[in-house]
Amino acid sequence: MRYLDPKADLTFKRVFGEHPDLVMSFLNALLPLSPGQEVTEIEYLPVELVPDNPLRKNSIVDVRCRDNQGRIFLVEMQMIWSSEFKQRVLFNASKAYVRQLDTGENYELLQPVYSLNLVNDIFELDLDDEFYHYYRLVHTEHTEKVIEGLHLVFVELPKFTPQNYSDKKMQVLWLRYLTEINERTREVPKEFLANPELKKAVKALEESAFTDAQLAGYEKFWDIISVEKTLFSSAERRGMRRGLEEGMKKGLEEGKKEGIKEGKKEGIKEGIKEGIKEGKKEVARSLKMAGIPTAIIMESTGLSEVEIEDL
């Protein structure tokens, strides 16, 4: 039996966007929900949030649903990290929060929005052993004081390693599912088959469950991811090198006025910043030449549609 990787766009949406019982189990396992606040019933909502003003930005997520308490859940699978991704998550969650009310309705009707984001990349380099990151609005000095509304969760999948968490059994199983099942899987772990939800989720990944056209799209997805990673790596190296060169030059110039040592330091910092920006443009330019859709380029680089068109 050949299985597909659940992290791909096609499979992730098939598993969590078509099976309410599976996404409920997933949300209960991964979200910071208090006892008695578990998700027990959901309805799927359109994944695209179209703005009221046509000049504003559309939002698209992988899975969007609402439970019987009115809480909204957004789920995304992100393959390549970019510094703008956190802002995009905040933007999407904020829009979902605001769109709950019609004009004149009472703010007390607002329900929490939970955004769960699985990232197949490492972005918190200084937090070696922490793969789970939970953000919400708290008082800076008295963290027990919270403004309820937005709950943002990021999971760094490459950092996850299975451990014997007796109280987090389902969380471990779901994260193992995302990180262990792929095209190389020949024998499914017994723990998966012993659990009804995981067994069903594995069954949904069987290659025979997909059409030839879907399988072709699946392969194309991984080709695009491979191209993006290669271009990002190459462009970042070129951008950093160019940034360092420009930084040294600027640093020396500034150093004549304010001291060589401090000038170099500030110049290199500015140069690196500019180099990273140039690196993103290099990536976008290469993706554009490769025929990658503008929407994907925008998501991958953080550049605007106008900036991409001007390349």
Side-chain angles (χ1 to χ4, degrees), residues 27-34 37 114 116 132 134 151-153:
L27 292 172
N28 287 328
L30 272 296
L31 289 179
L33 300 173
S34 303
Q37 291 297 310
Y114 290 83
L116 175 58
Y132 188 95
Y134 174 34
H151 301 260
L152 311 180
V153 174

Side-chain angles (χ1 to χ4, degrees), residues 32-34 37 71 93-94 97-98 100 107-114 134-139 143-152:
L33 300 173
S34 303
Q37 291 297 310
R71 297 177 297 183
S94 299
Y97 187 73
V98 171
Q100 294 182 69
Y107 291 119
E108 293 180 357
L109 298 175
L110 289 168
Q111 294 298 316
V113 172
Y114 290 83
Y134 174 34
Y135 296 85
R136 57 179 179 165
L137 295 174
V138 300
H139 192 293
T143 55
E144 74 281 1
K145 297 184 179 297
V146 181
I147 297 179
E148 293 294 344
L150 300 182
H151 301 260
L152 311 180

Side-chain angles (χ1 to χ4, degrees), residues 18-33:
E18 298 181 11
H19 301 283
D21 55 332
L22 298 187
V23 76
M24 282 193 295
S25 174
F26 193 63
L27 292 172
N28 287 328
L30 272 296
L31 289 179
L33 300 173

Side-chain angles (χ1 to χ4, degrees), residues 42-64:
I42 64 120
E43 64 169 320
Y44 285 114
L45 302 172
V47 296
E48 182 173 12
L49 274 170
V50 180
D52 299 324
N53 186 333
L55 298 178
R56 294 178 180 171
K57 189 177 180 64
N58 285 31
S59 302
I60 301 177
V61 296
D62 291 328
V63 178
R64 178 170 166 252

Side-chain angles (χ1 to χ4, degrees), residues 255-272:
K256 292 177 183 179
K257 301 177 182 178
E258 302 179 16
I260 297 296
K261 184 176 180 180
E262 189 62 28
K264 282 184 178 180
K265 179 180 177 181
E266 292 301 317
I268 289 174
K269 186 185 297 183
E270 289 299 317
I272 290 175

Side-chain angles (χ1 to χ4, degrees), residues 11 55 74 83 90 171 189 194 199 212 230 233 252 292 294 306:
T11 48
L55 298 178
L74 309 177
S83 57
L90 179 59
Q171 182 180 111
K199 183 177 181 179
D212 290 341
T230 301
S233 179
L252 289 172
I292 303 301
T294 300
V306 174

